[in-house]
Structure formats: C-alpha cells, structure tokens
Amino acid sequence: MSYKMIACDLDETLLSADRTVCKRNREAIAKAAQKGVRFVCATGRGFKSIEPTLKELNQFDKENEFAVSFNGGAIIESKDNRILRFEGLDFDKAQELYFRGLKYDVCIHVYTQDEVYVKRIHESERAYIAGRMHFVEFDEDNLDFLRDQAIAKVLFVNTDYDYLKTIEKDLEEITGNLDVSFSSNRYIEFNPKGVNKGSGLLWLADYLNIKPEETIAIGDNFNDLAMIKAAGLGVGVANTIEPMKPECDVITKASCEQGAVAEVIENYILSDPAYAYNSNSCDGPVNKSK
C-alpha cells in the first residue's frame, strides 16, 4: 500500500516529555514529505496552541499544510490559521455540561476558537498544561460570558480514570448527542456527535483527494481511537494505554520518548535500511551504509 497522509496525535505520541519533537521524528517526517506524504497534526488542543510544534515541523503559517484540532472540531490550513471546517458545541449544551461539571470533583476546560477557559484549576493541571497552551482562569457560575462565542468543546479533568468513567456513566442521560472520549489519562472530553479525530481525518483526506486506505493514523489514547479505526493503517505507540492496543493494527516498539513516529515512517514510508534507527534513542539516525 502506498500511503499519502499521516494523521498523528501530539501529546504522548509525537511529542517527548519536554513537549518537543525529537530529532529522530523531525528527520523522518521531513523525509516522508520529500516523498510527497503529508504529515498532519491531529490534536484535542486548539489550533493556536500547536504553533510551536508546527514551527518545529516547518509547517507554521504555510499554505497546503493542515492540522486537525479540537478532536476534529476544527480543520485548519496553517497559512493564517484558515479554518476549513468548524463544528462546535451548541451553547446550551456547553452550559449544561458546565453546570453538571460543577457538581463533580473536576477542573473544567471550556474551549473557544481562540481561548481555553479553565475553572477550578489545581497545581497538577497547571503543571501539565504549562507550555502546552495559554489559558484563562475564570470563576463565573455560568458560561453566559461566552454566549456569543463559538465553543469547540468542554472537558473535565481528574487523574483518577475510574472516577472519570463514573462521570461518563452518570452523564449518559445528556450525552446521547455528543462524542465522549478520554485522553492523557486525565481528561474526559465532550464534542458534538460525530465530531472526532476519525471524522476529521476522513474529511481532510477527502478534501485532499486521498483515499481512506491511503492514510495512517498514530495515537496513544481513546480520543485517538476513532482515527486509528478510520485510517488505512491504525498505529498505537508503545506507550498506548493497554485497553486500546487490541484496537490498533500495529503497536510500535518505540515509545513517544524514543521516536515512535519515526519508526512508523521508516517501516511504512521510507522502507530504506540506510535510515534504520536505534530504537532506544530519539536523537537521530544510524546510517548503516557507512
């Protein structure tokens, strides 16, 4: 199979713990691009928050470079952050989720196109999102101040996954028209029904005249599952959460700290032994031809 597009999650997949793209991944992505293969960042974060990563990949503010953000809620062209497609939450639904969230032991994020508003942030969450995104703390009892803004999604934060699953069950009465997913072992996320990374991948592939079977998706957590199942090849990195691994076509030997994305590109795009990598390092290639 000749693959033409790779859609890749960022946190815990492409990015190392220091929130950067390691040399191994950067070089492999550049070589794939030379072969005409598109590399598309697919993230739950807003498109403005991924600009540092786009700069590392030499995609920032460029035409014909694309990204999927808000778990598929927005698809953008990098040049001037041009929004090609946006599907956000109805305000009343966002307000309902917010009111319900106030009853749980959670921090709450509300994403608009331009900002992330955070209620009841704690130090663990502050440390986690520092360097990942700009955010605005707020303390309002409702979301009326956002009534005239486009709301992309709402999420709740708690590092106890079992507690988040309890919340998911408790909210079933109001989430029938929503896509509910989990990410980073700390978030339960709410998007409109049918809005997920899988639908985003398929929409962008169609926009670019790429067949679904010509795509690869790479991820590590449940908010990546829809695109992993939608793609021609669905890949989980080595640090993918265990319950999701059986859903993937392939699990890499390398983790996000070892250049897992490069491993995928080597095996399915480059297929050149001269560019074999040390699976224990994210620093760079080992050219066996020398």
Side-chain angles (χ1 to χ4, degrees):
M1 171 58 66
S2 176
Y3 296 106
K4 297 181 179 179
M5 186 174 83
I6 301 170
C8 185
D9 173 56
L10 298 187
D11 298 311
E12 290 87 44
T13 299
L14 174 66
L15 303 183
S16 303
D18 64 1
R19 306 179 183 94
T20 65
V21 183
C22 71
K23 180 181 178 182
R24 179 184 181 186
N25 284 340
R26 291 197 310 272
E27 292 187 348
I29 291 167
K31 291 183 183 300
Q34 290 171 5
K35 289 180 172 287
V37 178
R38 294 183 179 277
F39 187 85
V40 177
C41 294
T43 179
R45 291 196 261 144
F47 50 85
K48 291 187 177 180
S49 74
I50 68 172
E51 289 181 356
T53 300
L54 296 179
K55 288 177 181 178
E56 286 191 89
L57 299 178
N58 197 31
Q59 295 182 354
F60 176 67
D61 201 29
K62 290 191 173 182
E63 294 181 350
N64 296 313
E65 298 287 357
F66 304 91
V68 176
S69 62
F70 301 128
N71 288 330
I75 298 175
I76 64 110
E77 183 177 19
S78 182
K79 181 66 176 177
D80 299 323
N81 281 330
R82 185 168 74 95
I83 299 175
L84 304 178
R85 176 179 184 246
F86 179 82
E87 292 191 49
L89 284 174
D90 174 80
F91 174 79
D92 290 338
K93 179 58 69 174
Q95 181 93 288
E96 184 177 26
L97 287 167
Y98 180 69
F99 287 149
R100 293 293 289 266
L102 293 176
K103 299 178 181 179
Y104 301 119
D105 180 20
V106 295
C107 166
I108 304 172
H109 291 202
V110 182
Y111 285 68
T112 68
Q113 288 185 359
D114 299 316
E115 295 284 1
V116 182
Y117 294 89
V118 181
K119 170 86 168 185
R120 296 195 307 211
I121 192 168
H122 45 73
E123 290 310 306
S124 170
E125 180 64 3
R126 191 184 301 276
Y128 183 81
I129 63 178
R132 284 185 167 89
M133 66 185 80
H134 173 267
F135 62 94
V136 177
E137 294 185 55
F138 75 104
D139 196 35
E140 277 76 3
D141 293 330
N142 56 61
L143 298 182
D144 288 350
F145 70 105
L146 297 178
R147 187 174 291 277
D148 295 327
Q149 295 195 42
I151 297 178
K153 68 174 186 175
V154 172
L155 64 77
F156 301 159
V157 187
N158 190 294
T159 55
D160 183 341
Y161 177 71
D162 290 336
Y163 182 67
L164 294 181
K165 290 295 289 183
T166 299
I167 292 175
E168 179 189 32
K169 182 69 174 177
D170 191 50
L171 291 180
E172 283 182 349
E173 66 192 80
I174 68 167
T175 56
N177 62 342
L178 298 178
D179 250 56
V180 182
S181 60
F182 298 85
S183 64
S184 299
N185 300 316
R186 64 195 301 121
Y187 299 131
I188 181 171
E189 310 198 23
F190 306 96
N191 286 89
K193 192 72 173 179
V195 174
N196 52 61
K197 291 185 183 182
S199 64
L201 177 151
L202 293 175
W203 189 95
L204 182 58
D206 181 68
Y207 180 83
L208 296 172
N209 295 312
I210 295 172
K211 299 175 182 177
E213 58 266 31
E214 296 172 329
T215 65
I216 298 174
I218 312 173
D220 74 286
N221 217 305
F222 281 124
N223 70 328
D224 304 316
L225 183 56
M227 72 172 181
I228 283 174
K229 296 182 81 168
L233 181 70
V235 181
V237 297
N239 53 282
T240 295
I241 59 172
E242 290 300 324
M244 203 174 87
K245 287 183 177 179
E247 304 287 345
C248 302
D249 298 317
V250 175
I251 301 295
T252 63
K253 294 180 180 179
S255 71
C256 62
E257 296 297 328
Q258 299 166 328
V261 172
E263 179 184 322
V264 177
I265 292 172
E266 290 164 7
N267 290 340
Y268 296 98
I269 305 297
L270 303 181
S271 300
D272 184 345
Y275 294 102
Y277 286 81
N278 177 353
S279 64
N280 294 317
S281 173
C282 201
D283 294 332
V286 178
N287 192 331
K288 291 185 177 180
S289 64
K290 290 184 179 180

